[in-house]
């Protein structure tokens, strides 16, 4: 009887014990923090009736809370997400570090003195964000255990998918919560100002998100676009058309008198979905292959023109809105120049798309700047800046500085992803976790090794068929083999 082959190890590479201990301790502390926070109430009685915030300034503990949360959710967790996408060994330590800062910030946010706040969206949304963080930690611990036997082999892939989705959604949710925090700290966006705040922060965030997407596609997304068989303007036009449909029916309360800028906002929505349909149609050639077009860029120019012409109550607000419109128009103009003259309707400057022209960085950055300018141009912010005696030039330069910092951070994350490709040769067995005496080569290395073996085999076979003079006359023959045959 033939001997049965040994069964494969049911578990993957054993996780490092210290890593699991750190993750478990983080989860325990997070749970205790949630219980402590639920039992704590802000000193809402210190807020006068009819007011949103108290008159005291922000104290040191609250500033530490703000700094810890920005560091955790704004810097560490996004970097850890990228490290997780490339399967880096630093993914877990980075996320554990972010969790420590998040837990510390959570405690500080419920132990501060100084300025107090009425019930607000930032405090209400914090529980959802921390619940998402707790879920992400639990999913990460389960995946780190490498349970693959029995039912675990079935549910593990779904847990991995859920872990990846939650990790990629986390930066977006964190961005929203940080905006809520800034609004709450200043007591903005209440009562009559709510609608205007929503418009500015949603639209401004959309411009920044569009700039981030363009940056990713510019530096790491050209091969993906090629696989889809669609041009970039096809997806841009779909989003523009969908957004225009939403604006058409939400910028005015139908059945109510038209007032303010309702007609202008509604007309802008109509232009968006009309132009979006044209952009979708022009994104393909007659044979069905992808085709570049400038319709999305032209829509950006029209939007910038409309925004710059908004009537404002303050001179400072008028200047900020004007610069915002000019910046947005410049983004559309540079996009047209890029497609028509730099790329000449091609998808990229090179086949792999990894060597963009320097001019191509300008459009994404101008979208970042447009987003910050628009988010910083609400009525309450303009009144605060005007009362503080800050000129529009200084304020605009500060907002541009924020745009540069975010642009730099996105470029660093993309470089971090590109510098750590997922197809590196593994050093351990996929299932047992044992070190490999000879690491498995990456696909390109394996193909090169196979070609070398085929070439050596052909030379070996030809040695027996060729004469000594022919071997000496062949330039491709290795010198060592020629010397051996001559001797």
């Amino acid at each position: 009887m033939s001997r049965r082959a040994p069964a494969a190890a049911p578990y993957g590479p054993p996780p490092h014990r210290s890593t699991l201990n750190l993750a478990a301790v983080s989860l325990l502390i997070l749970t205790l923090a949630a219980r402590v926070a639920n039992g704590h109430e802000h000193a809402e009685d210190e807020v006068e009736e009819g007011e949103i915030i108290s008159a005291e300034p922000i104290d040191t503990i609250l500033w530490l809370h703000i700094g810890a949360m920005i560091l955790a959710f704004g810097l560490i967790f996004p970097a850890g997400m990228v490290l997780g996408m490339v399967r880096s060994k630093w993914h877990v330590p980075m996320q554990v570090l972010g969790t420590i800062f998040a837990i510390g910030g959570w405690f500080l946010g419920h132990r501060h003195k100084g300025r107090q706040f009425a019930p607000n969206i930032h405090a209400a949304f914090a529980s959802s964000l921390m619940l998402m963080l707790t879920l992400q930690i639990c999913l990460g611990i389960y995946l780190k255990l490498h349970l693959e036997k029995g039912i675990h082999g079935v549910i593990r892939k779904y847990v991995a998918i859920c872990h990846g989705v939650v990790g990629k959604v986390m930066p977006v949710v964190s961005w929203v919560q940080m905006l809520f925090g800034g609004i709450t700290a200043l007591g903005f966006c209440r009562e009559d100002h709510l609608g205007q705040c929503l418009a500015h922060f949603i639209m401004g965030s959309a411009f920044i998100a569009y700039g981030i997407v363009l940056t990713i596609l510019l530096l790491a997304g050209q091969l993906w676009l090629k696989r889809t068989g669609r041009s970039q303007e096809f997806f841009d036009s779909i989003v523009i058309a969908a957004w225009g449909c939403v604006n058409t029916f939400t910028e005015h309360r139908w059945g109510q008198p038209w007032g303010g800028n309702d007609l202008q906002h509604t007309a802008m929505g109509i232009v968006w979905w009309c132009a979006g349909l044209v952009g979708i149609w022009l994104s393909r050639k007659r044979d069905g292959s992808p085709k570049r077009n400038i319709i999305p860029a032209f829509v950006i120019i029209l939007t910038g023109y409309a925004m710059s012409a908004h009537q404002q109550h303050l001179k400072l607000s008028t200047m900020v809105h004007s610069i915002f419109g000019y910046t947005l128009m410049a983004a559309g103009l540079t996009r047209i120049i890029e497609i028509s003259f730099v790329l000449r309707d091609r998808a990229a400057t090179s086949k792999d798309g990894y060597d963009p022209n320097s001019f191509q960085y300008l459009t994404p950055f101008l979208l970042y700047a447009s987003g910050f300018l628009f988010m910083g141009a609400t009525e309450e912010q303009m009144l605060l800046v005007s009362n503080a005696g800050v000129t529009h030039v200084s304020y605009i330069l500060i907002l541009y500085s924020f745009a540069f910092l975010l642009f730099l951070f996105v470029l660093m994350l993309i470089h971090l992803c590109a510098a750590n490709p997922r197809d590196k040769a593994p050093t351990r067995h996929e299932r047992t976790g044992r070190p490999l005496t000879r690491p498995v080569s990456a696909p390109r290395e394996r193909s090169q090794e196979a070609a070398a073996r085929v070439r050596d085999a052909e030379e070996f076979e030809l040695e027996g068929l060729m004469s000594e003079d022919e071997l000496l006359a062949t330039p491709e023959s290795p010198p060592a083999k020629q010397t051996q045959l001559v001797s």
Side-chain angles (χ1 to χ4, degrees):
M1 295 179 63
S2 59
R3 301 181 62 181
R4 298 177 61 182
Y11 303 105
H16 200 278
R17 180 172 298 177
S18 60
T19 301
L20 288 180
N21 291 339
L22 283 174
V25 170
S26 299
L27 180 60
L28 178 60
I29 297 176
L30 190 62
T31 305
L32 294 176
R35 296 187 63 180
V36 171
N38 289 334
H40 170 73
E41 295 292 339
H42 285 290
E44 298 173 0
D45 53 348
E46 298 182 10
V47 181
E48 297 182 4
E49 186 177 356
E51 298 294 330
I52 302 170
I53 59 177
S54 63
E56 292 82 8
I58 297 176
D59 67 340
T60 304
I61 295 179
L62 190 55
W63 280 119
L64 291 175
H65 160 76
I66 295 172
M69 288 306 195
I70 292 177
L71 185 62
F73 289 95
L75 299 177
I76 298 178
F77 284 144
M81 176 197 69
V82 173
L83 292 174
M85 292 170 59
V86 298
R87 303 291 193 269
S88 172
K89 65 179 180 180
W90 296 105
H91 166 66
V92 174
M94 183 69 73
Q95 299 301 71
V96 170
L97 178 63
T99 303
I100 293 174
F101 276 98
I103 293 171
W106 178 266
F107 275 113
L108 293 173
H110 290 82
R111 290 293 180 268
H112 70 87
K113 304 297 182 182
R115 182 173 299 178
Q116 302 298 324
F117 308 91
N120 55 81
I121 184 63
H122 180 68
F125 194 67
S127 300
S128 301
L129 180 61
M130 299 305 286
L131 180 62
M132 182 181 296
L133 177 59
T134 305
L135 173 63
Q136 186 71 342
I137 293 174
C138 294
L139 295 175
I141 292 176
Y142 176 83
L143 294 175
K144 197 63 180 176
L145 293 174
H146 292 278
L147 303 176
E148 299 178 357
K149 187 177 181 181
I151 188 63
H152 295 290
V154 178
I155 67 175
R156 178 179 173 81
K157 60 180 180 180
Y158 297 105
V159 173
I161 294 174
C162 184
H163 185 67
V165 171
V166 174
K168 293 176 180 62
V169 172
M170 183 74 76
V172 180
V173 179
S174 302
W175 171 265
V176 174
Q177 178 66 347
M178 285 187 284
L179 292 181
F180 286 160
I183 291 170
T184 301
L186 297 174
F188 288 168
C189 302
R190 295 293 186 106
E191 299 175 352
D192 296 339
H193 299 287
L194 179 59
Q196 196 225 18
C197 272
L198 288 175
H200 275 257
F201 283 104
I202 292 175
M203 200 71 175
S205 298
F207 287 132
I208 294 176
Y210 188 26
I212 292 175
V213 170
L214 288 185
T215 308
I216 294 173
L217 291 176
L218 175 64
L219 298 175
Q222 293 301 320
L223 294 180
W224 175 82
L225 277 176
K226 189 175 181 180
R227 289 195 300 267
T228 62
R230 304 280 187 177
S231 67
Q232 186 171 334
E233 285 68 36
F234 172 80
F235 300 101
D236 294 348
S237 299
I238 287 180
V239 175
I240 288 174
W243 194 285
C245 291
V246 173
N247 276 16
T248 300
F249 298 103
T250 59
E251 291 295 336
H252 172 71
R253 295 182 179 181
W254 297 97
Q256 303 274 335
W258 291 84
N261 294 317
D262 288 0
L263 181 59
Q264 183 175 344
H265 291 161
T266 303
M268 191 182 305
I270 295 174
V271 168
W272 274 45
W273 65 259
C274 292
L277 295 178
V278 176
I280 294 173
W281 180 265
L282 294 178
S283 62
R284 276 189 174 276
K285 299 179 182 178
R286 291 184 178 181
D287 59 358
S289 58
K291 172 70 175 177
R292 304 298 299 268
N293 68 80
I294 60 173
I295 296 299
F298 189 69
V299 171
I300 293 176
I301 294 177
L302 286 177
T303 304
Y305 164 73
M307 294 294 185
S308 65
H310 270 195
Q311 297 180 356
Q312 306 297 326
H313 300 291
L314 297 174
K315 180 181 178 181
L316 175 66
S317 181
T318 301
M319 296 302 299
V320 173
H321 275 80
S322 298
I323 298 300
F324 159 69
Y326 298 151
T327 303
L328 199 56
M329 285 190 285
L333 180 60
T334 54
R335 186 66 169 170
I336 292 176
I337 296 174
E338 174 191 345
I339 295 173
S340 302
F341 301 102
V342 177
L343 298 178
R344 298 183 181 275
D345 282 0
R346 293 175 299 175
T349 55
S350 58
K351 291 184 178 180
D352 57 8
Y354 292 146
D355 187 23
N357 188 283
S358 300
F359 188 84
Q360 294 180 266
Y361 290 95
L362 195 53
T363 300
F365 168 73
L366 290 173
L367 288 171
Y368 289 75
S370 300
F372 277 105
L373 286 169
F374 197 54
M375 286 194 299
T378 62
E379 293 175 348
E380 293 170 298
Q381 286 174 297
M382 292 293 92
L383 183 60
L384 178 66
V385 173
S386 179
N387 292 337
V390 179
T391 64
H392 71 278
V393 175
S394 302
Y395 187 61
I396 289 170
L397 291 178
I398 292 173
L399 295 178
Y400 261 86
S401 301
F402 290 154
F404 274 115
L405 289 176
L406 181 59
F407 190 41
L408 173 63
F409 183 58
V410 173
L411 291 175
M412 292 171 65
L413 291 182
I414 296 175
H415 175 76
L416 182 64
C417 182
N420 297 274
R422 292 182 58 177
D423 58 352
K424 282 187 175 181
T427 58
R428 291 180 176 271
H429 195 277
E430 184 178 357
R431 293 182 60 85
T432 63
R434 296 176 180 174
L436 297 174
T437 56
R438 183 185 180 192
V440 179
S441 301
R444 181 178 297 179
E445 296 174 351
R446 288 198 298 266
S447 61
Q448 293 175 352
E449 291 177 1
R453 287 196 298 268
V454 171
R455 185 171 59 252
D456 293 341
E458 291 175 349
E459 292 175 356
F460 178 80
E461 294 174 355
L462 289 175
E463 285 179 2
L465 300 176
M466 299 174 65
S467 64
E468 184 175 343
D469 295 335
E470 290 174 336
L471 286 172
L472 291 174
T474 304
E476 292 82 6
S477 301
K481 293 183 179 179
Q482 292 179 3
T483 304
Q484 181 180 4
L485 291 175
V486 171
S487 63

